């Protein structure tokens, strides 16, 4: 069965500092990996995705993530955080099977940005 | 309207009421999903419809009844709910192709409170 672990429930970072959110996954085949962001009262917005190819993927809002197969990780990074990045971030792993498109989400990491 | 819309955005209902949540996608996608997001729990997939046929039902209680009349509309009919069903209900859609995984686009959600 596929699973996703986000070890950090909360992270507080100063505006302008760098940010790294951890994600570890368990999946039996080559995974499809996603990072979504959710602002308060909103749905989920896709930041970036990894299907194949270059293991360093660029996303929107200045985010990037690196797929490391040997570590079963897909960590999200941003070099310089803005106050608008305060939100909850979800890592997800997916695969295409008999049940179609099935995503499994991690528990999320809530990011607080200090002025 | 663009993207994925959900109505109502907020709903308060008693345990004996019957209500319905509506989702509409304007993206031409062929698959739609219902997720439940509770506090302190990972996002849970409830139902998947692909080409208007239900392909996944993750052991959801029968008090939740989905309906997908066409590829653009998805409903979640609610009856005799319990207070623990209070949550944010998210709808998503994707374009599925053979042997690949489509990106899921989410609506803003319906915040449901069961009294």
């Amino acid at each position: 069965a596929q699973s996703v672990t986000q070890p950090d429930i909360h992270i507080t970072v100063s505006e302008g500092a760098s940010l790294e959110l951890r994600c570890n996954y368990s999946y039996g085949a080559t995974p499809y990996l996603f990072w979504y962001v959710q602002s308060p009262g909103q749905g989920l917005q896709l930041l970036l995705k990894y299907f194949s190819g270059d293991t360093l993927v660029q996303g929107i809002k200045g985010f990037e993530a690196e797929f490391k197969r040997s570590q079963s990780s897909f960590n999200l990074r941003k070099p310089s955080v803005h106050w608008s990045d305060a939100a909850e971030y979800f890592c997800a792993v997916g695969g295409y099977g008999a049940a179609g498109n099935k995503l499994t989400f991690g528990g999320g990491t809530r990011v607080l940005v200090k002025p | 309207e663009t993207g994925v819309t959900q109505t109502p955005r907020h709903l308060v209902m008693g345990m004996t009421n019957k209500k319905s949540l509506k989702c509409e996608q304007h993206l031409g996608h062929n698959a739609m999903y219902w997720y439940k997001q509770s506090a302190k729990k990972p996002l849970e997939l409830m139902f998947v419809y692909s080409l208007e046929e239900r392909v996944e039902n993750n052991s959801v209680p029968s008090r939740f009844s989905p309906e997908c009349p066409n590829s653009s509309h998805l409903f979640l009919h609610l009856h005799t709910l319990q207070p623990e069903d209070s949550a944010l209900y998210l709808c998503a859609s994707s374009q599925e192709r053979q042997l690949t995984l489509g990106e899921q686009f989410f609506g803003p959600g319906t915040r449901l409170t069961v009294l």
Side-chain angles (χ1 to χ4, degrees):
Chain A
Q2 57 200 54
S3 66
V4 179
T5 301
Q6 293 179 247
D8 304 305
I9 298 175
H10 297 278
I11 285 182
T12 300
V13 61
S14 297
E15 191 168 14
S18 63
L19 174 68
E20 181 167 12
L21 304 182
R22 295 183 291 165
C23 172
N24 294 98
Y25 69 89
S26 172
Y27 191 72
T30 301
Y32 294 82
L33 294 160
F34 304 83
W35 274 101
Y36 283 87
V37 62
Q38 185 179 32
S39 298
Q42 300 298 314
L44 276 67
Q45 180 184 22
L46 182 71
L47 285 174
L48 47 79
K49 61 189 177 188
Y50 171 78
F51 284 6
S52 64
D54 193 346
T55 56
L56 184 64
V57 293
Q58 302 297 319
I60 63 171
K61 305 185 180 186
F63 285 92
E64 66 178 26
E66 186 171 12
F67 170 58
K68 293 185 177 180
R69 184 186 300 275
S70 62
Q71 298 177 19
S72 298
S73 70
F74 188 57
N75 294 349
L76 181 72
R77 298 192 293 257
K78 185 169 183 176
S80 177
V81 168
H82 187 262
W83 64 266
S84 61
D85 294 323
E88 191 155 19
Y89 292 79
F90 295 91
C91 181
V93 64
Y96 191 89
N101 179 340
K102 182 177 179 180
L103 285 185
T104 298
F105 285 84
T109 299
R110 187 171 297 280
V111 173
L112 304 175
V113 180
K114 295 190 301 184
Chain B
E1 293 278 12
T2 59
V4 181
T5 58
Q6 291 187 243
T7 55
R9 293 294 308 276
H10 300 271
L11 178 63
V12 179
M13 59 187 289
M15 289 191 283
T16 57
N17 291 158
K18 289 185 180 181
K19 296 287 184 182
S20 295
L21 310 185
K22 178 183 176 182
C23 175
E24 184 172 1
Q25 59 95 2
H26 310 267
L27 301 168
H29 288 167
N30 60 10
M32 297 186 77
Y33 312 80
W34 278 117
Y35 288 88
K36 177 182 179 182
Q37 187 177 31
S38 306
K40 301 180 181 179
K41 291 179 71 174
L43 208 63
E44 301 170 65
L45 178 64
M46 300 175 73
F47 299 102
V48 177
Y49 276 84
S50 183
L51 299 174
E52 301 157 44
E53 181 179 333
R54 191 163 73 191
V55 295
E56 179 94 0
N57 172 359
N58 281 344
S59 302
V60 177
S62 59
R63 57 186 183 268
F64 296 92
S65 174
E67 178 190 2
C68 188
N70 55 61
S71 60
S72 298
H73 294 87
L74 184 65
F75 295 90
L76 188 63
H77 304 300
L78 316 170
H79 65 98
T80 59
L81 295 192
Q82 304 298 310
E84 60 264 27
D85 296 322
S86 299
L88 182 68
Y89 288 84
L90 292 165
C91 174
S93 71
S94 68
Q95 181 62 27
E96 296 308 305
R97 299 177 183 85
Q98 188 70 19
L99 300 178
T100 187
L101 202 72
E103 169 190 334
Q104 291 187 24
F105 290 78
F106 284 80
T110 295
R111 173 68 62 185
L112 174 67
T113 302
V114 181
L115 302 176

